[in-house]
């Protein structure tokens, strides 16, 4: 590879800067709004003239938001856990075994991923009302798993396919049962894939608005994105922009923490050295 | 330690193809046996069946006198070294070698002792804390060997363990493997497609092709008395020369000249179903510069004169190439060989390779007088590849009485 010249570095640096700015300005704008007082909200300044934490205090004082935050965290974590565990097993089977109906399974899971979710909302609404799942945690966890599973299976089977099969054979020859071979050899190597998948699934569940607004009706299971839309101002003529911004900032934080926490584990090239290469 | 017996072991896949046909093989305790053959000959499948990584379709496999067909790999107490090494990348060298012992729930102190000992034997002591990614190819290979030897299994299975190493290292490791096997005296089944490895390593060599055992014997026997064209062409480097020949009256007409036929060959070839067309096979070292042949030997051979194409001096001897006019030797066996070698190991059919003494004065482009040993000539039936010069299992040459 050619050594990057100064001009090339500058060019790439500029390009990166444009991308970063493009992606971050809306986020910073929201953050800036969340620190503004109602009076200066619409002054168009990027940096607030009057800093205030009033908006943050406000949202944590309302039971509505805190309750929604708990719902969101709980539902997203449980969905992620189940989807990743099921997805790991399914992906392992798909990448390692030849069983009848394998192509069908892969095809159906792809189909689910492609199915427009909005068209399922009405039937799901009716099903859940009749089965008593409406406005409960499982009522959201179930559809989340359904739509997260194809994603999990696809990502994970790509990771499993990179793991040399010889390792599993070697483990068996070394005296491991099928289960031990999976637990002690394959699973540690698949860890980066599992974490990547977990992040993707978590973000999907965390950000969902469509199912959350359609399949919930009270604070029992309402998640944050929906709760935000139910925020009201002090009077009906007042727009709760500041509070919504503050809430938006707050709910971004878990995602950032989640990614930062798992990022360390996503070490590329973990399998290097296993086989000749 | 144990003996391994394959009794009519067959591997049939669900799609109907048969990879291994009723292989009978008795591997003695402590023996080093090589399965060799071109890719797709069933050697790896056979090894995997011994390992338990593939099911046996029919027949019986016994290790130490016990039927193990239905046993899981982990219950067979055999260790395997893979072509890819298959080291666990998330574990250090020491952990890799300790893995089988940890699975066996062995005492920690004992594990450490065994790993240290294996590391010492394989000169890996200073690398015990490294990850496989930070090792060279040869070191990884040694770790793979180490993982196999730590638990003193009944047998070692090796699936082309050296084929990922570069040429020089391969020769070094070959000696090391051989020495290690002698030292441990553990039954070893070694799969390779490299005939040099097969010749140098094994007590006995099994040549396989298309799922059938072609010939089984010690390396020298395979080399001197190949039962068919395939074995003759596969074993030896540079490989045997093959020439088309026809039987006429009492002589054998070849592109090199008419060779005399001894009584035995003549009677063998006089039968009603005896082939008229034959393939003559002769190894490069059974040629010699006629000027260097002593008088009493001259009579045992046949001399011809031909223009030299090319001389390659190896220092110890000279490889001299000639171009042979006339029809090419054709047989299914030869096509298989060429296909396998990609034409690399096998000389082109119209090329005659001879290995002459270093003192020979032959030069490029000049006619050379060459002597060949008639006792060492093999005749093959092109229809089935059989060696018809074999007499009671020994190659007898064409002119034997």
């Amino acid at each position: 590879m050619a050594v990057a010249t100064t001009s090339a570095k500058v060019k790439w640096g500029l390009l990166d800067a444009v991308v970063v700015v493009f992606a971050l300005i809306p986020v910073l704008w929201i953050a800036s709004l969340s620190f503004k007082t109602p009076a200066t909200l619409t002054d168009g300044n990027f940096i607030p003239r009057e800093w205030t934490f009033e908006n943050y205090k406000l949202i944590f004082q309302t039971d509505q938001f805190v309750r929604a935050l708990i719902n969101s965290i709980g539902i997203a974590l449980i969905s992620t856990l189940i989807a990743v565990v099921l997805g790991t097993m399914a992906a392992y089977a798909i990448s390692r075994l030849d069983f009848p109906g394998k192509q069908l399974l892969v095809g159906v899971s792809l189909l689910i991923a492609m199915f427009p979710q909005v068209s399922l909302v009405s039937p799901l609404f009716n099903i859940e009302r009749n089965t008593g799942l409406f406005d409960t945690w499982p009522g959201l966890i179930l559809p989340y798993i359904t739509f997260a599973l194809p994603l999990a299976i696809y990502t994970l089977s790509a990771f499993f396919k990179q793991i040399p099969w010889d390792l599993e054979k070697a483990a068996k020859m070394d005296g491991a049962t099928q289960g031990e071979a999976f637990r002690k050899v394959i699973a540690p190597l698949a860890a980066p894939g599992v974490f990547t998948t977990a992040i993707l699934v978590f973000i999907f569940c965390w950000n969902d608005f469509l199912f959350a607004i359609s399949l919930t009706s009270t604070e029992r299971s309402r998640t944050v994105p929906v709760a935000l839309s139910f925020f009201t101002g002090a009077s009906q003529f007042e727009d709760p922009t500041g509070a919504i911004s503050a809430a938006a900032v707050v709910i971004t934080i878990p995602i950032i923490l989640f990614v930062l926490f798992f990022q360390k584990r996503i070490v590329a090239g973990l399998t290097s050295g296993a086989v000749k290469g | 330690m144990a003996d391994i017996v394959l009794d009519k072991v067959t591997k049939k896949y669900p799609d109907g193809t048969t990879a291994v046909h009723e292989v009978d093989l008795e591997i003695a305790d402590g023996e080093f046996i090589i399965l060799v053959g071109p890719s797709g000959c069933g050697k790896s499948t056979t090894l995997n069946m011994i390992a338990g990584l593939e099911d046996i379709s029919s027949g019986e496999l016994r290790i130490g006198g016990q039927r193990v067909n239905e046993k899981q790999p982990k219950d067979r107490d055999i260790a395997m070294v893979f072509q890819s090494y298959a080291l666990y990348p998330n574990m250090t060298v020491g952990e890799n070698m300790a893995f089988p012992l940890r699975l066996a729930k062995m005492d920690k102190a004992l594990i450490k002792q065994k790993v240290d000992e294996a590391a010492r034997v394989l000169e890996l002591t200073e690398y015990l804390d490294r990850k496989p990614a930070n090792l060279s190819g040869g070191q990884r290979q040694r770790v793979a060997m180490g993982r196999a030897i730590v638990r003193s299994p009944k047998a070692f299975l090796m699936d082309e363990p050296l084929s990922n190493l570069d040429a020089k290292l391969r020769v070094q490791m070959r000696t090391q493997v051989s020495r290690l096997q002698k030292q441990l005296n553990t039954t070893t089944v070694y799969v390779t497609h490299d005939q040099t490895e097969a010749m140098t390593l094994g007590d006995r060599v099994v040549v396989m092709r298309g799922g059938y055992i072609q010939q089984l014997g010690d390396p020298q026997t395979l080399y001197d008395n190949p039962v068919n064209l395939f074995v003759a062409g596969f074993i030896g480097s540079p490989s045997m020369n093959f020439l088309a020949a026809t039987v006429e009256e009492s002589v054998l007409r070849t592109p090199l000249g008419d060779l005399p036929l001894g009584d035995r060959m003549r009677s063998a070839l006089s039968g009603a179903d005896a082939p008229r067309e034959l393939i003559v096979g002769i190894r490069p070292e059974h040629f010699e510069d006629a000027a260097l042949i002593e008088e009493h030997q001259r009579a045992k051979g046949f001399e011809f004169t031909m223009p030299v194409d090319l001389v390659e001096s190896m220092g110890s001897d000279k490889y001299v190439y000639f171009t042979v006019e006339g029809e090419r030797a054709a047989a299914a066996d030869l096509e298989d060989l060429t296909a396998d070698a990609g034409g690399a190991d096998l000389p082109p059919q119209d090329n005659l390779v001879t290995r002459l003494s270093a003192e020979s004065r032959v030069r490029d482009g000049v006619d050379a007088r060459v002597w060949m040993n008639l006792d060492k000539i093999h005749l093959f039936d092109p229809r089935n590849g059989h060696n018809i010069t074999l007499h009671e299992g020994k190659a007898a040459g064409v002119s034997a009485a």
Side-chain angles (χ1 to χ4, degrees), chain B residues 71-124:
Chain B
K71 280 199 178 174
Q72 288 294 310
K74 70 186 186 74
D75 301 321
R76 295 190 187 192
D77 192 20
I78 42 186
M80 187 156 168
V81 177
F82 292 84
Q83 180 179 4
S84 64
Y85 315 143
L87 303 180
Y88 311 123
N90 50 329
M91 304 180 195
T92 63
V93 169
E95 288 167 345
N96 260 286
M97 297 209 284
F99 188 69
L101 304 178
R102 273 200 298 140
L103 286 174
K105 310 255 185 302
M106 199 179 268
D107 181 58
K108 275 220 175 77
L110 195 58
I111 291 181
K112 191 174 175 334
Q113 185 198 329
K114 290 210 170 218
V115 169
D116 286 347
E117 192 187 316
R120 194 176 41 75
V121 171
L122 293 163
E123 293 159 35
L124 285 167

Coordinates of all heavy atoms in Angstrom, one line a residue, chain B residues 71-124:
Chain B
K71 N -18.6 -45.8 18.8 CA -18.0 -44.9 19.9 C -17.8 -43.5 19.4 O -17.4 -43.3 18.2 CB -16.7 -45.5 20.4 CG -16.9 -46.6 21.4 CD -15.6 -46.7 22.2 CE -15.8 -47.8 23.2 NZ -14.5 -48.1 23.9
Q72 N -18.1 -42.5 20.2 CA -17.8 -41.1 19.9 C -16.3 -40.9 19.8 O -15.5 -41.7 20.5 CB -18.3 -40.2 21.0 CG -19.8 -40.1 21.0 CD -20.4 -39.4 19.8 OE1 -19.9 -38.4 19.4 NE2 -21.3 -40.1 19.1
P73 N -15.8 -39.9 19.1 CA -14.4 -39.7 19.0 C -13.7 -39.6 20.4 O -12.6 -40.1 20.6 CB -14.3 -38.3 18.3 CG -15.5 -38.2 17.5 CD -16.6 -39.0 18.2
K74 N -14.4 -38.9 21.3 CA -13.8 -38.7 22.6 C -13.6 -40.0 23.4 O -12.8 -40.0 24.3 CB -14.7 -37.7 23.4 CG -16.0 -38.2 23.9 CD -16.8 -37.1 24.6 CE -18.0 -37.7 25.2 NZ -17.8 -38.4 26.4
D75 N -14.4 -41.0 23.0 CA -14.3 -42.3 23.8 C -13.3 -43.2 23.1 O -13.1 -44.3 23.6 CB -15.6 -42.9 23.9 CG -16.6 -42.0 24.6 OD1 -16.2 -41.4 25.5 OD2 -17.8 -42.0 24.2
R76 N -12.7 -42.8 22.0 CA -11.8 -43.7 21.3 C -10.3 -43.6 21.8 O -9.5 -44.4 21.4 CB -11.8 -43.5 19.8 CG -13.2 -43.8 19.2 CD -13.2 -43.8 17.7 NE -14.6 -44.0 17.2 CZ -14.9 -44.2 16.0 NH1 -14.0 -44.3 15.1 NH2 -16.2 -44.3 15.6
D77 N -10.1 -42.5 22.5 CA -8.7 -42.3 23.0 C -7.7 -42.3 21.9 O -6.7 -42.9 22.0 CB -8.4 -43.3 24.1 CG -7.1 -42.9 24.8 OD1 -6.8 -41.7 24.8 OD2 -6.5 -43.8 25.4
I78 N -7.9 -41.5 20.9 CA -6.9 -41.3 19.9 C -6.8 -39.8 19.6 O -7.8 -39.0 19.8 CB -7.3 -42.0 18.5 CG1 -8.8 -41.8 18.2 CG2 -6.9 -43.4 18.6 CD1 -9.2 -42.6 17.0
A79 N -5.6 -39.4 19.3 CA -5.4 -37.9 19.0 C -5.2 -37.7 17.6 O -4.7 -38.6 16.8 CB -4.2 -37.5 19.8
M80 N -5.5 -36.5 17.1 CA -5.4 -36.2 15.7 C -4.7 -34.9 15.5 O -4.9 -33.9 16.2 CB -6.8 -36.2 15.1 CG -6.9 -36.0 13.6 SD -8.4 -36.7 13.0 CE -8.4 -36.1 11.3
V81 N -3.9 -34.8 14.5 CA -3.3 -33.6 14.1 C -3.8 -33.2 12.7 O -3.8 -34.0 11.8 CB -1.7 -33.7 14.0 CG1 -1.1 -32.4 13.5 CG2 -1.1 -34.2 15.3
F82 N -4.4 -32.0 12.7 CA -5.0 -31.6 11.4 C -4.1 -30.8 10.5 O -3.1 -30.2 10.9 CB -6.2 -30.7 11.8 CG -7.3 -31.4 12.5 CD1 -7.3 -31.6 13.9 CD2 -8.4 -31.9 11.8 CE1 -8.3 -32.2 14.5 CE2 -9.4 -32.5 12.4 CZ -9.4 -32.7 13.8
Q83 N -4.5 -30.9 9.2 CA -3.7 -30.1 8.2 C -3.7 -28.6 8.6 O -2.7 -28.0 8.4 CB -4.3 -30.4 6.9 CG -3.6 -29.6 5.8 CD -4.2 -29.9 4.4 OE1 -5.2 -30.5 4.3 NE2 -3.5 -29.3 3.4
S84 N -4.8 -28.1 9.0 CA -4.9 -26.7 9.3 C -4.4 -26.4 10.7 O -4.5 -25.3 11.2 CB -6.3 -26.3 9.2 OG -7.1 -26.9 10.2
Y85 N -3.9 -27.4 11.5 CA -3.5 -27.3 12.9 C -4.6 -27.2 13.8 O -4.6 -27.8 14.9 CB -2.5 -26.2 13.1 CG -1.4 -26.0 12.1 CD1 -1.0 -24.8 11.7 CD2 -0.8 -27.2 11.5 CE1 0.0 -24.7 10.7 CE2 0.1 -27.1 10.5 CZ 0.6 -25.8 10.1 OH 1.5 -25.7 9.2
A86 N -5.7 -26.4 13.4 CA -6.8 -26.3 14.3 C -6.5 -26.0 15.7 O -6.9 -26.6 16.7 CB -7.7 -27.6 14.2
L87 N -5.6 -25.0 15.9 CA -5.3 -24.5 17.3 C -6.4 -23.6 17.8 O -7.1 -22.9 17.0 CB -4.0 -23.8 17.3 CG -2.8 -24.5 16.8 CD1 -1.6 -23.6 16.8 CD2 -2.6 -25.8 17.6
Y88 N -6.7 -23.7 19.1 CA -7.7 -22.8 19.6 C -7.2 -21.4 19.8 O -6.3 -21.2 20.6 CB -8.3 -23.3 21.0 CG -8.6 -24.8 20.9 CD1 -8.0 -25.7 21.7 CD2 -9.5 -25.3 19.9 CE1 -8.3 -27.1 21.6 CE2 -9.8 -26.6 19.8 CZ -9.2 -27.5 20.7 OH -9.4 -28.8 20.6
P89 N -7.6 -20.5 19.0 CA -6.9 -19.1 18.9 C -7.1 -18.3 20.2 O -6.4 -17.4 20.4 CB -7.6 -18.4 17.7 CG -8.9 -19.2 17.5 CD -8.7 -20.6 18.0
N90 N -8.2 -18.7 20.9 CA -8.4 -17.9 22.2 C -7.6 -18.4 23.3 O -7.7 -17.8 24.4 CB -9.9 -17.9 22.5 CG -10.5 -19.3 22.5 OD1 -10.0 -20.2 21.8 ND2 -11.4 -19.6 23.4
M91 N -6.8 -19.5 23.1 CA -6.1 -20.0 24.2 C -4.6 -19.9 23.9 O -4.2 -19.9 22.7 CB -6.3 -21.5 24.4 CG -7.8 -21.8 24.6 SD -8.0 -23.6 24.8 CE -9.8 -23.7 24.6
T92 N -3.7 -19.8 24.9 CA -2.3 -19.8 24.7 C -1.8 -21.1 24.3 O -2.6 -22.1 24.4 CB -1.6 -19.3 26.0 OG1 -1.8 -20.3 27.0 CG2 -2.0 -18.0 26.5
V93 N -0.6 -21.2 23.9 CA 0.0 -22.5 23.5 C -0.1 -23.5 24.7 O -0.5 -24.6 24.4 CB 1.5 -22.3 23.2 CG1 2.2 -23.6 23.1 CG2 1.7 -21.5 21.9
G94 N 0.2 -23.1 25.9 CA 0.1 -24.0 27.0 C -1.4 -24.4 27.2 O -1.6 -25.6 27.5
E95 N -2.3 -23.5 27.1 CA -3.7 -23.9 27.3 C -4.2 -24.8 26.2 O -5.0 -25.7 26.4 CB -4.6 -22.6 27.3 CG -4.4 -21.8 28.6 CD -5.1 -20.4 28.5 OE1 -5.3 -20.0 27.4 OE2 -5.2 -19.8 29.5
N96 N -3.7 -24.6 25.0 CA -4.0 -25.5 23.9 C -3.6 -26.9 24.2 O -4.4 -27.8 24.0 CB -3.3 -25.0 22.6 CG -4.2 -24.2 21.7 OD1 -5.1 -24.8 21.0 ND2 -4.0 -22.9 21.6
M97 N -2.4 -27.0 24.7 CA -1.9 -28.4 24.9 C -2.5 -29.0 26.1 O -2.7 -30.2 26.2 CB -0.4 -28.3 25.1 CG 0.4 -27.8 23.8 SD 2.0 -28.5 23.7 CE 2.9 -27.6 24.8
A98 N -3.0 -28.1 27.1 CA -3.6 -28.6 28.3 C -5.1 -29.0 28.1 O -5.7 -29.7 28.9 CB -3.5 -27.6 29.4
F99 N -5.6 -28.5 27.0 CA -7.1 -28.7 26.7 C -7.6 -30.1 26.9 O -8.5 -30.4 27.6 CB -7.4 -28.1 25.4 CG -8.9 -28.0 25.1 CD1 -9.7 -27.1 25.8 CD2 -9.5 -28.8 24.1 CE1 -11.1 -27.0 25.6 CE2 -10.8 -28.7 23.9 CZ -11.6 -27.8 24.6
P100 N -6.9 -31.1 26.2 CA -7.4 -32.4 26.3 C -7.3 -33.0 27.7 O -8.2 -33.8 28.1 CB -6.5 -33.2 25.3 CG -5.5 -32.3 24.8 CD -5.9 -31.0 25.2
L101 N -6.3 -32.5 28.4 CA -6.1 -33.0 29.8 C -7.2 -32.4 30.7 O -7.7 -33.0 31.6 CB -4.7 -32.7 30.3 CG -3.6 -33.2 29.4 CD1 -2.3 -32.8 30.0 CD2 -3.7 -34.7 29.3
R102 N -7.5 -31.1 30.4 CA -8.5 -30.4 31.3 C -9.8 -31.1 31.1 O -10.6 -31.3 32.0 CB -8.6 -28.9 30.9 CG -7.6 -28.1 31.7 CD -8.0 -26.6 31.6 NE -8.1 -26.1 30.3 CZ -9.0 -25.3 29.8 NH1 -10.0 -24.9 30.6 NH2 -9.0 -24.9 28.6
L103 N -10.1 -31.5 29.8 CA -11.4 -32.2 29.5 C -11.4 -33.5 30.2 O -12.5 -34.0 30.6 CB -11.5 -32.4 28.0 CG -11.9 -31.1 27.2 CD1 -11.9 -31.4 25.7 CD2 -13.3 -30.6 27.6
A104 N -10.3 -34.1 30.4 CA -10.2 -35.4 31.0 C -10.2 -35.2 32.6 O -10.1 -36.2 33.3 CB -9.0 -36.2 30.6
K105 N -10.4 -34.0 33.0 CA -10.5 -33.7 34.5 C -9.3 -34.2 35.2 O -9.3 -34.7 36.3 CB -11.7 -34.3 35.1 CG -13.0 -34.1 34.3 CD -13.9 -33.0 35.1 CE -15.2 -32.8 34.4 NZ -15.2 -32.4 33.0
M106 N -8.1 -33.9 34.6 CA -6.9 -34.4 35.2 C -6.5 -33.3 36.3 O -6.9 -32.2 36.2 CB -5.8 -34.5 34.2 CG -4.6 -35.3 34.6 SD -3.5 -35.4 33.2 CE -4.0 -36.9 32.4
D107 N -5.7 -33.8 37.2 CA -5.2 -32.9 38.3 C -4.3 -31.8 37.7 O -3.5 -32.0 36.8 CB -4.4 -33.8 39.2 CG -3.8 -33.0 40.4 OD1 -4.7 -32.4 41.1 OD2 -2.6 -32.9 40.6
K108 N -4.5 -30.6 38.3 CA -3.8 -29.4 37.7 C -2.3 -29.5 37.7 O -1.7 -29.2 36.7 CB -4.2 -28.1 38.5 CG -5.5 -27.5 38.1 CD -5.4 -26.0 38.1 CE -6.7 -25.3 37.5 NZ -7.8 -25.3 38.5
A109 N -1.7 -30.0 38.8 CA -0.3 -30.1 38.8 C 0.2 -31.1 37.8 O 1.2 -30.9 37.1 CB 0.1 -30.6 40.2
L110 N -0.5 -32.2 37.6 CA -0.2 -33.2 36.7 C -0.3 -32.7 35.2 O 0.6 -32.9 34.4 CB -1.1 -34.4 36.8 CG -0.6 -35.7 36.2 CD1 0.7 -36.1 36.7 CD2 -1.6 -36.8 36.4
I111 N -1.3 -31.9 35.0 CA -1.5 -31.2 33.7 C -0.2 -30.4 33.4 O 0.4 -30.5 32.3 CB -2.7 -30.3 33.6 CG1 -4.0 -31.2 33.7 CG2 -2.7 -29.5 32.4 CD1 -5.3 -30.4 33.6
K112 N 0.2 -29.6 34.4 CA 1.3 -28.7 34.1 C 2.6 -29.5 33.8 O 3.3 -29.2 32.9 CB 1.5 -27.8 35.4 CG 2.5 -26.7 35.1 CD 2.6 -25.8 36.2 CE 3.7 -24.7 36.0 NZ 4.8 -25.1 35.1
Q113 N 2.7 -30.6 34.6 CA 3.9 -31.4 34.4 C 3.9 -32.0 33.0 O 4.9 -32.0 32.3 CB 3.9 -32.5 35.4 CG 5.1 -33.4 35.4 CD 4.8 -34.7 36.2 OE1 4.0 -34.8 37.1 NE2 5.4 -35.8 35.7
K114 N 2.8 -32.5 32.5 CA 2.7 -33.1 31.2 C 2.9 -32.1 30.1 O 3.6 -32.4 29.1 CB 1.3 -33.8 31.0 CG 1.2 -35.1 31.9 CD 0.3 -36.1 31.3 CE 0.3 -37.4 32.0 NZ 0.3 -38.5 31.1
V115 N 2.3 -31.0 30.3 CA 2.4 -29.9 29.2 C 3.9 -29.5 29.1 O 4.4 -29.3 28.0 CB 1.5 -28.7 29.5 CG1 1.8 -27.5 28.6 CG2 0.0 -29.1 29.3
D116 N 4.5 -29.3 30.3 CA 5.9 -28.9 30.3 C 6.8 -29.9 29.6 O 7.7 -29.5 28.9 CB 6.4 -28.6 31.7 CG 5.8 -27.4 32.3 OD1 5.3 -26.6 31.5 OD2 5.9 -27.1 33.5
E117 N 6.5 -31.1 29.9 CA 7.3 -32.2 29.3 C 7.1 -32.2 27.8 O 8.1 -32.3 27.0 CB 6.8 -33.5 29.9 CG 7.8 -34.7 29.6 CD 7.2 -36.0 30.0 OE1 6.7 -36.0 31.2 OE2 7.3 -37.0 29.3
A118 N 5.9 -32.1 27.3 CA 5.6 -32.1 25.9 C 6.3 -30.9 25.2 O 6.8 -31.0 24.1 CB 4.1 -32.1 25.6
A119 N 6.2 -29.8 25.9 CA 6.8 -28.5 25.4 C 8.3 -28.7 25.3 O 8.9 -28.2 24.3 CB 6.4 -27.4 26.3
R120 N 8.9 -29.4 26.2 CA 10.3 -29.6 26.2 C 10.7 -30.4 25.0 O 11.6 -30.1 24.2 CB 10.8 -30.2 27.5 CG 12.3 -30.1 27.7 CD 12.6 -30.7 29.1 NE 11.9 -31.9 29.4 CZ 12.1 -33.1 28.9 NH1 13.1 -33.3 28.1 NH2 11.4 -34.2 29.2
V121 N 10.0 -31.5 24.8 CA 10.2 -32.4 23.7 C 10.1 -31.7 22.4 O 11.0 -31.9 21.5 CB 9.3 -33.6 23.7 CG1 9.4 -34.4 22.5 CG2 9.5 -34.5 24.9
L122 N 9.1 -30.8 22.3 CA 8.9 -30.1 21.0 C 9.6 -28.7 20.9 O 9.3 -27.9 20.0 CB 7.4 -30.0 20.8 CG 6.7 -31.3 20.5 CD1 5.2 -31.1 20.7 CD2 7.0 -31.8 19.1
E123 N 10.4 -28.4 21.9 CA 11.1 -27.1 22.0 C 10.1 -26.0 21.9 O 10.2 -25.0 21.1 CB 12.1 -27.0 20.9 CG 13.3 -28.0 21.0 CD 14.0 -28.3 19.7 OE1 14.1 -27.3 18.9 OE2 14.4 -29.4 19.5
L124 N 9.1 -26.0 22.8 CA 8.1 -25.0 22.8 C 8.0 -24.3 24.1 O 7.1 -23.4 24.3 CB 6.7 -25.6 22.5 CG 6.4 -26.0 21.0 CD1 5.1 -26.8 21.0 CD2 6.2 -24.8 20.1

